[in-house]
Amino acid sequence: MHRVRARRALAALILSLAIVTSVPTGLGGIRPAAAADASLVFAVLDLLKNEHVDRPDPVRLLAAALGGLRQALSRAGVTATLPDLAATDEVGARVEFQARFDQALAVAAGRVTQTQLQYAAAQAMAASMGDSHTGFITPERLAERRRQQQNQAGFTGIGILLMPRAGRFYIKLVFPGTPAERSGLRPFDRIVAIDGQSTEGMTTEDVSNRIRGPQGTPVTVVVQRPGQPTPLSFLIVREPIVVPAVEHRMLEGGIGYIRFGQFTQGSANLVRRAIEDLQAQGMRGMLLDLRSNPGGFVAELNRVADMLLPAGLPIYTMDSRRDGRQTQVTRTGPVLHQITPLVVLVDDGTASASELLAAALQEHGRGTLVGTRTAGAVLVSITFPLPGGAGLSVAIARMTTSRGVVLEGNGLRPDVEVELTLEDLDRGVDSQLARGRDELARRLAQAGRPLVTTGVH
């Protein structure tokens, strides 16, 4: 049955950073049932065994799930000894794991719920695969992720993208039409306090969770702005946030700028419209910003590559246990004029589909890459539904670039390496964007079409 579902899901393959969530920490007060329900754990086991590209050993997976049970009990302060699995065959290992699950629920005595134990075991199993695209997803995160992929409101907050650096938290982007934009927050503002609490010592998750909250509730954000001697305080009311997949604008000197945030459904059409609009305005060079793009749907990647490269060129090769090795090539021919120089901005948040797009542009000599090494998270995954609304992202295929280069775990090295330093951030200077514009100016000058600017940036 899982194989049938996987085949149907192939039409919506997702190539993106898998989200491995943490086990819920809230403790329930239920009494353990006489017969514990470990069905979700066994559903995850079957999916990984039958669908994962690496064909994992089910006994090893159950051993990892047992480790997850131990960790969940330990975090709750429950002292228990769960013996290792002795069985070497799957049937025996299943029986033994069920016994360990029953034991874990009994000793938890309400301090850890049955659902929390299931989630802990499932998460540990998925994490044991050690790849970027296999992970257990809680019901809440799965619902948010699906809304984002469909360009719907994915969360309730203020509308910013965080950029953590060396224990500091900068605003990387302020999304248009959001409370953050209306309040006056700007990129490169450094968040120093939230609702009176200093961000010093916080994690990225801490900061994000404090900024997010129920619709209509206020949050006070204090920022240190470049060039301002004293911090600025903003009282902002939270709203449902829709993160735009594509934004574009014309920069000085006829430089077209497109920020491509994610390969969501329909995002390729938005890229097409952006290119056509900028070309109608007389674009002379194009900056494609793939920084912090986590990937998305493979079909959208194919369509965007068609717009930027001539027909008949390989984009990537996919190797799966079901369909073998296949190479995707461009089909329709470019929308972007081929005489228009192209520079692509990348960083450590550029992952999966965006890495493959950047690699294809680099390997075919169509675009110059500027920034830092990419994430190295390049696999194809399918997200399967699980009981209770949870999900499991499973890597079903491995990807290589058009020249056979493996990016998973390695990343893609840009042609021009530019680090966004703390000094740059504190001065409010996007050194990567500035270098990208310089590269376009250089290429235009080489083509006898020098870039004329006023010097105002």
Side-chain angles (χ1 to χ4, degrees), residues 220-383:
T220 300
V221 179
V222 179
V223 303
Q224 183 67 58
R225 177 163 292 169
Q228 294 284 340
T230 57
L232 304 174
S233 181
F234 297 85
L235 179 63
I236 308 171
V237 178
R238 301 177 176 100
E239 295 179 2
I241 301 301
V242 177
V243 178
V246 178
E247 299 175 77
H248 75 282
R249 64 182 183 272
M250 186 68 78
L251 304 179
E252 185 187 18
I255 299 300
Y257 171 83
I258 299 177
R259 188 194 72 82
F260 190 9
Q262 189 171 359
F263 291 79
T264 56
Q265 290 179 344
S267 59
N269 288 333
L270 298 177
V271 173
R272 173 184 289 274
R273 292 172 193 167
I275 294 172
E276 291 174 344
D277 181 48
L278 291 169
Q279 289 184 154
Q281 295 181 53
M283 176 171 62
R284 305 177 69 232
M286 191 176 103
L287 276 170
L288 178 61
D289 193 344
L290 295 180
R291 293 176 295 180
S292 298
N293 183 321
F297 290 102
V298 174
E300 302 296 324
L301 162 62
N302 298 341
R303 295 185 185 108
V304 174
D306 282 348
M307 298 174 199
L308 302 176
L309 291 167
L313 294 181
I315 308 170
Y316 58 80
T317 296
M318 180 188 304
D319 194 356
S320 72
R321 59 189 287 180
R322 182 181 300 107
D323 300 317
R325 190 174 180 84
Q326 298 179 338
T327 298
Q328 178 71 29
V329 299
T330 52
R331 299 181 185 280
T332 62
V335 174
L336 179 66
H337 299 329
Q338 291 301 281
I339 64 168
T340 303
L342 173 64
V343 167
V344 183
L345 304 181
V346 296
D347 65 7
D348 58 0
T350 304
S352 293
S354 55
E355 289 183 270
L356 288 172
L357 177 62
L361 295 171
Q362 182 186 57
E363 291 181 346
H364 293 303
R366 182 61 186 92
T368 301
L369 272 54
V370 173
T372 56
R373 187 179 291 272
T374 60
V378 184
L379 293 168
V380 176
S381 65
I382 291 178
T383 299

Side-chain angles (χ1 to χ4, degrees), residues 87 173 351 358 387:
L173 293 172

Side-chain angles (χ1 to χ4, degrees), residues 98-303:
Q98 180 66 62
R100 304 296 187 274
F101 193 89
D102 294 343
Q103 180 185 352
L105 187 58
V107 299
R111 287 183 285 175
V112 186
T113 68
Q114 180 171 269
T115 297
Q116 288 170 337
L117 288 173
Q118 289 178 331
Y119 285 10
Q123 182 193 23
M125 252 197 298
S128 73
M129 296 308 305
D131 65 60
S132 62
H133 280 59
T134 300
F136 175 75
I137 312 170
T138 62
E140 298 77 15
R141 188 64 188 95
L142 180 60
E144 177 181 319
R145 175 171 161 176
R146 284 173 171 165
R147 288 193 296 268
Q148 290 174 344
Q149 289 168 350
Q150 295 169 1
N151 292 315
Q152 299 173 358
F155 61 93
T156 301
I158 64 174
I160 62 173
L161 179 65
L162 283 176
M163 177 168 49
R165 285 289 190 276
R168 300 179 180 182
F169 302 94
Y170 297 86
I171 296 176
K172 186 168 189 177
L173 293 172
V174 177
F175 299 119
T178 62
E181 184 188 51
R182 294 193 298 271
S183 73
L185 287 177
R186 301 177 186 173
F188 299 108
D189 284 347
R190 179 163 66 91
I191 299 175
V192 296
I194 305 167
D195 284 337
Q197 296 292 317
S198 171
T199 58
E200 186 174 354
M202 288 187 184
T203 65
T204 304
E205 185 177 6
D206 291 336
V207 174
S208 179
N209 288 339
R210 287 176 179 270
I211 291 176
R212 295 186 183 190
Q215 180 178 354
T217 59
V219 59
T220 300
V221 179
V222 179
V223 303
Q224 183 67 58
R225 177 163 292 169
Q228 294 284 340
T230 57
L232 304 174
S233 181
F234 297 85
L235 179 63
I236 308 171
V237 178
R238 301 177 176 100
E239 295 179 2
I241 301 301
V242 177
V243 178
V246 178
E247 299 175 77
H248 75 282
R249 64 182 183 272
M250 186 68 78
L251 304 179
E252 185 187 18
I255 299 300
Y257 171 83
I258 299 177
R259 188 194 72 82
F260 190 9
Q262 189 171 359
F263 291 79
T264 56
Q265 290 179 344
S267 59
N269 288 333
L270 298 177
V271 173
R272 173 184 289 274
R273 292 172 193 167
I275 294 172
E276 291 174 344
D277 181 48
L278 291 169
Q279 289 184 154
Q281 295 181 53
M283 176 171 62
R284 305 177 69 232
M286 191 176 103
L287 276 170
L288 178 61
D289 193 344
L290 295 180
R291 293 176 295 180
S292 298
N293 183 321
F297 290 102
V298 174
E300 302 296 324
L301 162 62
N302 298 341
R303 295 185 185 108

